[in-house]
Amino acid sequence: MRYAMIMAGGAGTRLWPMSRKNRPKQILPLIGGRSLLEIAAARLDGVVASDRLLVCAGEPYRAAIRRILPKLANDQFLGEPVGRDSVNAVGFTAAVLFKRDPQSIFAVLTSDHLIEPQDEFARKFDLGFRLVEDDPSRFVTFSIKPTFAAPNYGYVERGEPIKGFEGAFKAKQFVEKPDVATAKTYLASGTFNWNSGMFIFSAATFIDALHRFMPENHRDLMKIADAWGTKHQTPILQEIYPTLKKTSVDYGVMEPASRDRSITIGTIPMNVSWMDVGSWTSYGETLPPDTAGNRGNTRTAHLNSKNVLAVSDDPNHTIATVDCEDLIVIHTADATLVCPRASAERIKDLAAKVDRELQ
């Protein structure tokens, strides 16, 4: 049976000061009054049944996420006691689903992407599910044609077509976050795409891969699965989950799986507009610019300013600038951020400094 899991963890510190521990980016109404999580869930309409959608996120966000997604039943929320990176979110999901349905096949998606058009997304995910239904030993990843040499993205190299499944290819290798020079060669090659962070797995096959590549995590996740649905579920989860080795699914499973001949990995290129809304610069791309390149979601007034991003959590708040260029200005009720656009990646370091020194 087909399932889908949305990973909605992460602190979103590059979107500080709007994204905070008590209101992370995935539940903020950033896109036309809708949250990224709402948009991700809506994207799955018609792809999987609503009662087979799972969300994996921090336990403290259970109530907030269920308010955002009112159709999400309590047992469709997998609450992590603490975040232990994506390999454990996926392993947790696989373990729980395998106990419910040993034949389960599940898609993994993140909650911080904007993807259009919807019909292309749905068509390619149906192809991905059919690939794994045809051969449960397959792993499937979805890839995006790169538009620039991004060193902070993962890459997948496209190989030979998979017979009988038009639009699907064998994946030759995975490389997570190459250096700039290597990313440039990938861009020029035409055979490397960005790894979108979206996958389809058989729960049984993913569990087996964990056993081979991360045996300690496998052992402990199986203990959690054994307790799932019993009176010991919560105490066992709270005891074991924080001790799991922390790494990404790309490093922990996909890279070693790409070197394992017993696992076939397919990649499906998606002809979509794909945006990772993980920073203020990328969020700015979702807003229309004025003639000087200034963007904002609130009332603004600019005098001889260019390429200024002005954002407020109060739509009636006015942000005004004079003779400013390439600037980010973010206003909330209790904090204001001002920084050059070129320093946007350092905002997460600033957020950590604020937490240490001012909280």
Side-chain angles (χ1 to χ4, degrees):
M1 194 170 289
R2 296 180 179 186
Y3 297 82
M5 183 273 282
I6 301 173
M7 290 187 290
T13 51
R14 288 184 295 164
L15 288 172
W16 186 89
M18 279 198 180
S19 183
R20 307 285 186 91
K21 288 181 180 179
N22 63 341
R23 56 175 196 273
K25 69 175 181 180
Q26 57 268 30
I27 65 175
L28 298 175
L30 290 172
I31 311 297
R34 303 171 74 202
S35 70
L36 290 165
L37 179 56
E38 285 178 271
I39 293 169
R43 190 179 299 129
L44 288 164
D45 287 349
V47 178
V48 297
S50 61
D51 62 351
R52 295 200 293 273
L53 169 64
L54 305 176
V55 174
C56 184
E59 179 61 35
Y61 308 129
R62 178 185 294 268
I65 286 175
R66 292 192 65 207
R67 282 194 298 270
I68 291 170
L69 303 178
K71 293 182 180 180
L72 192 77
N74 196 52
D75 65 355
Q76 291 173 254
F77 183 90
L78 300 180
E80 298 176 293
V82 294
R84 300 304 291 169
D85 217 322
S86 59
V87 77
N88 292 305
V90 178
F92 183 18
T93 303
V96 170
L97 281 178
F98 183 77
K99 187 169 186 178
R100 294 180 184 174
D101 175 6
Q103 306 303 316
S104 57
I105 295 171
F106 68 107
V108 176
L109 306 97
T110 61
S111 60
D112 47 9
H113 294 140
L114 297 179
I115 303 171
E116 294 179 340
Q118 170 66 19
D119 59 348
E120 169 72 355
F121 169 87
R123 187 171 66 84
K124 291 301 177 69
F125 261 73
D126 177 69
L127 174 59
F129 274 114
R130 287 190 285 112
L131 274 171
V132 181
E133 289 163 348
D134 176 72
D135 180 357
S137 72
R138 286 184 174 127
F139 285 173
V140 171
T141 184
F142 298 87
S143 56
I144 310 294
K145 184 177 180 180
T147 55
F148 63 98
N152 57 333
Y153 288 171
Y155 288 75
V156 56
E157 184 179 12
R158 187 175 67 253
E160 295 297 317
I162 297 176
K163 292 181 180 179
F165 295 91
E166 185 178 355
F169 300 83
K170 293 180 180 179
K172 293 180 70 174
Q173 65 169 319
F174 288 80
V175 182
E176 182 69 359
K177 298 180 180 179
D179 58 38
V180 173
T182 303
K184 288 180 178 178
T185 66
Y186 290 169
L187 181 65
S189 73
T191 60
F192 280 85
N193 282 0
W194 287 333
N195 185 8
S196 70
M198 300 183 292
F199 306 93
I200 295 181
F201 303 110
S202 155
T205 303
F206 191 85
I207 290 169
D208 180 66
L210 268 182
H211 184 257
R212 279 185 277 171
F213 306 135
M214 300 189 71
E216 293 180 357
N217 291 55
H218 170 270
R219 178 199 63 204
D220 290 343
L221 285 166
M222 290 301 99
K223 291 178 182 177
I224 292 171
D226 288 342
W228 204 255
T230 75
K231 65 181 181 180
H232 304 294
Q233 173 178 313
T234 298
I236 290 294
L237 180 66
Q238 291 176 342
E239 175 189 349
I240 292 177
Y241 205 85
T243 70
L244 295 173
K245 181 180 178 182
K246 185 177 181 180
T247 191
S248 72
V249 69
D250 303 278
Y251 283 128
V253 171
M254 296 307 294
E255 283 193 3
S258 70
R259 300 187 292 270
D260 188 314
R261 293 185 179 180
S262 68
I263 298 175
T264 301
I265 302 181
T267 184
I268 299 177
M270 300 181 77
N271 185 24
V272 295
S273 168
W274 178 82
M275 182 182 294
D276 182 354
V277 187
S279 67
W280 285 121
T281 51
S282 60
Y283 173 70
E285 295 300 311
T286 72
L287 303 171
D290 66 14
T291 56
N294 301 306
R295 302 171 189 259
N297 76 336
T298 189
R299 297 191 307 185
T300 59
H302 299 290
L303 183 60
N304 195 37
S305 292
K306 299 177 182 178
N307 299 322
V308 172
L309 173 64
V311 176
S312 173
D313 60 1
D314 177 359
N316 296 314
H317 183 81
T318 299
I319 295 177
T321 67
V322 179
D323 294 335
C324 292
E325 188 169 351
D326 295 326
L327 201 64
I328 295 171
V329 182
I330 312 297
H331 170 269
T332 70
D334 64 349
T336 300
L337 166 73
V338 180
C339 81
R341 183 182 293 268
S343 300
E345 288 298 317
R346 300 188 64 196
I347 293 173
K348 61 183 178 182
D349 300 324
L350 174 64
K353 179 180 175 68
V354 171
D355 282 345
R356 285 195 310 270
E357 301 178 5
L358 299 180
Q359 299 300 317

